[in-house]
Amino acid sequence: MKKSRLTRLALDNLGQMRGKLALAVLCMLGFIATQLLMRWPLKVIFDYILLGKRPPHALSALSGLQGREKTTALLVVCASIVVLAVLRGLFSYLQLTITSSAGQKIVYAIRRELFAHIQRLSLSFHSRTRSGELLSKMAGDTNALRDVFAESALNLGGDVITVAGMLGIMLWLDWRLGSIVLATFPVLLGMFFYRYRTVRGSVARQRRKEGKIASQLTEILGAVPLVQAFGREKYEAERFETQSAASLDEGIRTARLEAAATRGVEITRAVGLAAIVLFGSLEVLAGRMTLGTVFVFTSYLSHLYRPIRNLTKLSKNFAKASVSAERIAEILEAEPEIRDAPDAIDASGVAGSIVFDHVTFDYGDGRPVLNDVSFSAAPGEKLALVGASGAGKSTLVSLILRFYDPVAGAISIDGVDIRKYRCASLRREIGIVLQDSLLLGTTIRENIAYGKPGATSEEIVAAARAANAHDFISELPDGYETVLGERGASLSGGERRRLGIARALIRKAPILILDEPMSGLDVESEGKVRDALAHLMAEKTCILITHDLPSASDADAIVILENGRVVERGDHAELMARGRRYRQLYDMKVGRRELPRLSKA
C-alpha cells in the first residue's frame, strides 16, 4: 500500500532522530521500571522487617536485610524509596525533553512542507478553497499533530507497558486476585474503543465548523470598511455567533463524552478495588495471605487505573490527530494542475515575441471564457486588449503567466510553446502591474525588492525614482524602512500603484503586463502614474489591459474582445477608419474630444 505524503514526511523526520528516540524509549522503560518498583519497599518493610517473615526464593536477595538491625534495614529501604523517586524523575524529565523536541521538529517540518505545497498548487485550487480553511489547517491541525508527536505517542506505549507490567506482577503474586483485576478489562476496553469512535466523529464535525469560522473571520476582517459603511456590524456578529454556537455545541459534546468515559473508569476501578480488599482481607484473616501482599495489590490497583484513565484521555488526542492528519493529507495529496514538463527548458533572455494561436479556454464548467483567440505582439511592441468587463481580458493574462493552460490552441513566446518552459523561469521574464497593487505588510524597501530578491539599495531607489515614488517615500517618517499596513492600507491608491510600478521596474523583465493601470486614480495621481509607466514600458513588449479607450489609443496594436472572441484588431487609426465596433465604443466613451494618452517612450 502506497504511503501518503504526510506519512512519508513524518517517517523521514522520525528516521533522522532515531538515536534520540531510542534514548527516549530507554528513559520510558526506566521510568516504568522505577514506577513498578515503588510499591515494593513498603511490602518489604511490613512483611520482612516489621513482621519478620522469610522472603520467598524469588526475593532471596532481601535475606541480608533480616540479618541487620531493624533500624538499619528500615533506613536502607527508606533510602531506596528516595533513590527510586530521583531516578523516576530523571527518566521522566529526559523522556519529556526528547519527545517534546522531536514532536516540535516534526510539526515544524510538516508545517513548512504544507505552506510550500499550498504555494505550488494551481490557482484553480485556491479559487475553490477558502483561505480561512487553509489557515485553520496550517495552525490548528498541525498543533493537534504536535501534541501527538510530542507527548501522546510515547505515553501511549508507556501506559500499555505499565498496565501489562502491573498486571503481570499481580498475577505472579496471587493469580486469584490478579484474575479479579483482569475481569474488569473487557469493560474498560469497550469504553476505550467506543469513546475513540464517538469522539473522532465529533472532532471531525468540530474541525469543519472551526474552518468555517476561520474563513468567515478572514473574510470580514478584510472587509471591515465595507461592513461599517453599510452598518452591518450587528448582522455579521449574528452570523459569527451562529457559526460559533455550532462549534460550541460540538465542543460540549466532546467534553461530555470524555467526562463519561473518565467516570466509567473510576466506577470500574472502585468495583475492582472493593473486590480486592474484600477477598484479600478474608485471606489475611484466614492466614493464607500477608498484609503486605494485600497492600501491594491495592497500591498497584490504584495506580493501574491511572494509565488506563490516561489511555481514555489519549484516545481524544489521537481522535483529534487522526482527523487533523486527514485534513492535512487532503492538501498534501492535491497535485498542481500546472506542472513543468520533464523536458522543460529555462526561459532566460527572451526577446518578448508573444503569439496566441487559436486559444480556447474555460474554467472547467464547459462554458468558454475565450473562444478561438488569435493575435500576436512583436518584441518591444505595445498591445492593448480592450473590452467590457467579463470579455476575457484578465484570463488572457493568467494564460500568459501560465496560471492555467488553454483547453485548445497554444501560446508561444519567442516561438516556443510556453508549456515547454519551466514555470518559474517563464514568470521571471514577465513584469506585472495589477489594478489593485498588492502590497505586503512589511517595509517599502522589501515591497519594491519583492520583484528582485537581493536588489541593492541603489537599485531600489532608482526604481522608486523612475516610478515617481521616491518623493512621497522620502516624506514618510522612516522613508524606505516605513512598515506598511496590511495590503498597503496606509497609502493612497496612486501611491500603491506607483510602488507596484517600481516593483515591476526593478525586475527588468522583457515582457510587461499592465492590468487597468489608470483605474480609480484622480487626475494628479494619473499624471504621475502615466510618467512612471512611460519609463516602465520603454523597450519592452507591453500588454495593456483596459476598457479605457483613450489609454489604449497610442498602442501599436489594439485587440477588441467581446464574449471571449476577437472581433477587431489594428492600430487606432485603422480601427477608427473602419468605423465598426471600436469606432462605436470610442465615440460612446469620448466623443470627438482629445484626451491625454499614454505616450510611448
Side-chain angles (χ1 to χ4, degrees), residues 204-400:
R205 291 188 293 272
Q206 187 176 11
R207 286 292 188 200
R208 286 194 293 269
K209 290 178 171 61
E210 287 173 354
K212 291 180 179 179
I213 291 172
S215 296
Q216 185 179 350
L217 275 173
T218 304
E219 181 180 57
I220 296 307
L221 291 177
V224 169
L226 175 69
V227 174
Q228 293 181 350
F230 283 86
R232 300 291 280 173
E233 294 92 341
K234 183 178 180 181
Y235 168 74
E236 294 299 344
E238 290 173 352
R239 280 182 63 207
F240 181 77
E241 183 178 353
T242 300
Q243 293 285 2
S244 296
S247 177
L248 174 64
D249 291 342
E250 284 298 337
I252 293 173
R253 172 180 164 78
T254 303
R256 189 166 59 244
L257 290 169
E258 182 179 2
T262 304
R263 299 290 77 77
V265 171
E266 292 294 337
I267 293 171
T268 305
R269 169 185 172 277
V271 172
L273 182 61
I276 290 293
V277 171
L278 175 62
F279 185 81
S281 298
L282 292 175
E283 290 294 294
V284 171
L285 291 175
R288 293 189 293 269
M289 188 177 292
T290 66
L291 183 62
T293 299
V294 176
F295 179 82
V296 169
F297 252 94
T298 55
S299 178
Y300 270 133
L301 189 63
S302 297
H303 289 84
L304 173 69
Y305 289 108
R306 183 177 299 169
I308 293 176
R309 190 167 59 246
N310 289 343
L311 287 174
T312 63
K313 292 180 179 179
L314 287 174
S315 68
K316 176 184 176 183
N317 293 344
F318 278 100
K320 285 184 174 180
S322 175
V323 172
S324 295
E326 285 184 2
R327 284 160 53 87
I328 292 173
E330 285 178 4
I331 298 178
L332 290 177
E333 294 304 314
E335 293 292 341
E337 296 176 15
I338 305 299
R339 286 181 284 185
D340 292 335
D343 57 347
I345 60 175
D346 280 335
S348 57
V350 300
S353 168
I354 301 173
V355 176
F356 274 66
D357 185 17
H358 301 287
V359 171
T360 298
F361 176 77
D362 65 61
Y363 285 101
D365 54 6
R367 295 182 298 175
V369 180
L370 298 174
N371 199 337
D372 197 31
V373 171
S374 295
F375 63 84
S376 62
E381 188 175 56
K382 177 183 168 187
L383 173 74
L385 297 175
V386 177
S389 298
K393 305 185 300 296
S394 296
T395 301
L396 287 170
V397 174
S398 296
L399 293 176
I400 294 173

Side-chain angles (χ1 to χ4, degrees), residues 86 121 127 187 234 307 327 416 485 495 515:
V86 171
L121 290 174
S127 64
V187 178
K234 183 178 180 181
R327 284 160 53 87
V416 178
E495 290 169 341
D515 188 0

Side-chain angles (χ1 to χ4, degrees), residues 106-169:
I106 291 172
V107 171
Y108 164 77
I110 291 173
R111 188 173 287 172
R112 181 184 58 193
E113 177 63 24
L114 183 61
F115 180 73
H117 187 70
I118 287 173
Q119 292 188 99
R120 289 193 297 266
L121 290 174
S122 306
L123 284 190
S124 56
F125 170 85
H126 292 281
S127 64
R128 62 177 180 265
T129 306
R130 297 174 71 95
S131 57
E133 180 73 17
L134 295 177
L135 182 62
S136 174
K137 293 178 180 181
M138 280 287 300
D141 288 322
T142 52
N143 284 337
L145 292 183
R146 180 192 61 197
D147 295 339
V148 168
F149 285 121
E151 184 177 353
S152 300
L154 208 57
N155 283 352
L156 174 64
D159 288 337
V160 170
I161 295 173
T162 300
V163 170
M166 287 184 177
L167 188 60
I169 292 174

